[in-house]
Amino acid sequence: MYDLIMKKRNGEELSEQEIRHMTQEYVAGNIPDYQMSAFLMSVYFKGMTDKETSVMTDAVARSGDMVDLSSIEGIKVDKHSTGGVGDKTTLIIAPIVAACGVKVAKMSGRGLGHTGGTVDKMEAIPGMRTSLTQEEFFEVVNKTGLSVIGQSGNITPADKKLYALRDVTATIDSIPLIAISIMSKKLAAGSDCILLDVKTGSGAFMKTIEDSIALAECMVAIGENSGRRTAALITDMDIPLGNNIGNSLEVIEAVATLKGNGPKDLTEVSLSLAGNMLYLAGKGELPACIEMAKEAIVSGKALENLIAMVEAQGGDSSVIKDSDKFEKAAFAYEVKAPRSGYITHMNTEACGIASMMLGAGRETKDSILDYAAGIILKHKVGEYIQEGDVIATLYASEEDLFKAAELKFIEAVTIAKQNVEKEPLIFARIEKDKVEKYI
Ligand code: URA
């Protein structure tokens, strides 16, 4: 390990054998954390070649179970979002893609801090099971075209160990290490095609478009080198996606979108993601695939698929058919605009934290969620508001949670005399050896 640290520290390329050996020995407990920390810090400063990144991703993926989806007929397509605030797209696009005849067998995560997680949103549906046996998981996909569950089994133990070490050694924000971490889990999850949604802006892990494109290029190269058709969209997370933040509030908005009544931004991003998933699965050219996705909403087929999955996973579909049946928060509180002007920015991380403070998110891994808590935005960036207008409604089960959350939320919103120019929701699209920029 000393030699490998030295090699990376000096900017040399490690061989495939060296990387595989190092990863296996680290998981086996034969390489101490202090040596792996030095290696990770060397990667942070010297980077990794495409070949090193691909080999290490494969080694990390193979450190645990590799899910074999071959008993599910047809092409399987996965999607990964790097996380954000109000991102309920999985609940919209998985049913759309399934309605178009492409299977989605997906493992999702839980939320932490300001970001939400799809598994938490699904568990806001009464009775919904997100922990299935592999047989049950396959059965639901074969029956309904889709299933979304929590990460199960022994998936990428090397990533768990490496991530925990990166977290305490200031090596999280290294593009090759992030790419290895994300893509190892995607490769282990077994789908044929992978669409990456790299979020950018104040609510995202990646704060600039340049960094997001670099991460996307790295992940697309890994996916393609591993024989999976892979593409990435760089999408806006400088503003919450849609209007609802919080678990059942986000399910309600996802369902409204599947009924054709969703907010414009959420609908546009969802159609683009779903279209790209269909494109990767070989359903046609991208514009035709986006049309196909639209049609799945108009025909009601996508909503039917969501209902079928909810029922197959033990959930109460009456809340999907009629959102009023969701349990409501005990208290609501209106946040009023402190002055007149245009909303020119919303610090999205702070919006997510305000929602967490209301009980909708986790401050620590063990926090208990209040599914009905959260925020509904009444105005967003670019809109003119008068002093005293309601900008957002906060929901919580205890009234005394409102004061601090309101302060956090107000701090997050910039109101100015001059409006800002509208930016696109999708900044770039990356395929193998191809970057299309829309800004
Ligand atoms: N998400 C991951 O899964 N891994 C990282 O390293 C960063 C974000």
Side-chain angles (χ1 to χ4, degrees):
M1 189 61 191
Y2 179 94
D3 295 338
L4 302 190
I5 297 167
M6 174 97 92
K7 214 168 165 182
K8 184 44 67 191
R9 190 201 72 181
N10 293 343
E12 291 168 44
E13 187 180 51
L14 270 62
S15 71
E16 171 161 1
Q17 201 204 354
E18 285 168 335
I19 291 175
R20 289 194 187 278
H21 178 76
M22 176 184 71
T23 309
Q24 281 160 10
E25 291 300 303
Y26 179 60
V27 181
N30 298 330
I31 292 174
D33 280 350
Y34 58 80
Q35 284 192 310
M36 187 50 92
S37 305
F39 178 79
L40 294 172
M41 192 56 86
S42 304
V43 170
Y44 182 90
F45 284 112
K46 296 291 177 177
M48 280 178 129
T49 64
D50 264 7
K51 182 158 173 259
E52 284 178 314
T53 319
S54 292
V55 170
M56 186 143 173
T57 306
D58 189 69
V60 173
R62 289 177 196 282
S63 67
D65 300 341
M66 296 289 281
V67 180
D68 177 4
L69 296 178
S70 58
S71 63
I72 300 169
E73 224 179 275
I75 305 264
K76 276 76 65 179
V77 57
D78 199 351
K79 189 259 330 183
H80 178 83
S81 157
T82 55
V85 178
D87 181 4
K88 66 282 288 174
T89 55
T90 295
L91 298 174
I92 302 165
I93 62 187
I96 292 178
V97 169
C100 298
V102 174
K103 305 267 173 46
V104 181
K106 182 164 168 44
M107 290 187 194
S108 283
R110 295 187 183 277
L112 185 64
H114 73 281
T115 63
T118 303
V119 169
D120 297 328
K121 296 170 214 223
M122 289 177 57
E123 288 178 356
I125 301 167
M128 191 77 180
R129 290 173 61 215
T130 58
S131 175
L132 304 182
T133 64
Q134 199 163 81
E135 291 69 36
E136 287 173 322
F137 180 46
F138 292 174
E139 206 180 298
V140 176
V141 182
N142 275 324
K143 191 168 153 203
T144 70
L146 75 157
S147 178
V148 182
I149 59 170
Q151 193 173 302
S152 62
N154 180 34
I155 301 276
T156 60
D159 177 59
K160 288 197 184 85
K161 217 174 153 185
L162 286 167
Y163 193 90
L165 191 60
R166 286 167 57 210
D167 206 19
V168 294
T169 56
T171 49
I172 289 283
D173 54 341
S174 148
I175 285 177
L177 297 179
I178 298 171
I180 290 167
S181 170
I182 293 175
M183 290 305 288
S184 60
K185 287 175 282 216
K186 293 288 113 184
L187 297 187
S191 284
D192 307 293
C193 313
I194 302 161
L195 180 70
L196 301 156
D197 179 7
V198 180
K199 302 279 182 202
T200 304
S202 58
F205 203 62
M206 291 283 129
K207 305 292 182 204
T208 69
I209 295 176
E210 292 69 33
D211 281 350
S212 296
I213 291 178
L215 175 62
E217 285 186 297
C218 187
M219 294 196 289
V220 168
I222 294 170
E224 292 285 341
N225 288 341
S226 310
R228 318 285 173 102
R229 280 205 73 190
T230 309
L233 294 183
I234 311 294
T235 68
D236 189 15
M237 192 40 74
D238 207 38
I239 181 169
L241 188 55
N243 300 326
N244 292 15
I245 309 167
N247 297 291
S248 47
L249 295 175
E250 292 194 38
V251 177
I252 291 168
E253 194 171 53
V255 170
T257 306
L258 285 174
K259 289 179 179 166
N261 306 321
K264 214 165 154 281
D265 61 344
L266 178 62
T267 304
E268 184 185 327
V269 171
S270 299
L271 288 173
S272 191
L273 290 167
N276 272 279
M277 289 168 81
L278 295 168
Y279 168 81
L280 287 174
K283 294 297 269 187
E285 291 301 319
L286 187 54
C289 287
I290 292 175
E291 279 309 308
M292 217 182 281
K294 276 186 196 160
E295 186 45 39
I297 292 183
V298 173
S299 67
K301 268 205 89 213
L303 182 65
E304 280 171 28
N305 279 74
L306 177 68
I307 291 170
M309 176 188 73
V310 167
E311 290 176 353
Q313 292 185 205
D316 175 3
S317 63
S318 70
V319 298
I320 306 291
K321 291 170 189 156
D322 177 3
S323 292
D324 280 343
K325 296 209 165 135
F326 262 112
E327 201 177 315
K328 306 267 182 317
F331 299 98
Y333 178 91
E334 291 182 334
V335 180
K336 308 262 174 69
R339 60 188 167 278
S340 303
Y342 292 98
I343 301 181
T344 54
H345 187 236
M346 284 180 142
N347 180 323
T348 303
E349 181 171 342
C351 294
I353 291 173
S355 173
M356 183 193 82
M357 290 161 81
L358 295 166
R362 278 190 193 84
E363 195 168 354
T364 70
K365 277 192 185 135
D366 305 318
S367 309
I368 308 283
L369 296 181
D370 174 357
Y371 292 122
I375 302 175
I376 297 185
L377 303 171
K378 304 290 181 193
H379 292 283
K380 290 179 77 178
V381 172
E383 292 178 34
Y384 187 83
I385 44 170
Q386 298 280 1
E387 183 182 337
D389 280 356
V390 176
I391 330 177
T393 307
L394 313 183
Y395 296 91
S397 60
E398 289 167 42
E399 262 184 305
D400 53 8
L401 294 174
F402 288 135
K403 209 70 234 150
E406 180 190 27
L407 261 178
K408 189 83 197 164
F409 182 79
I410 286 282
E411 254 175 45
V413 179
T414 309
I415 301 169
K417 291 223 154 46
Q418 206 71 31
N419 205 355
V420 280
E421 231 172 81
K422 205 170 171 336
E423 296 214 321
L425 293 164
I426 299 168
F427 299 126
R429 178 170 176 276
I430 290 95
E431 271 190 85
K432 189 175 184 222
D433 302 324
K434 186 168 139 191
V435 178
E436 288 167 18
K437 287 190 194 170
Y438 308 126
I439 191 163

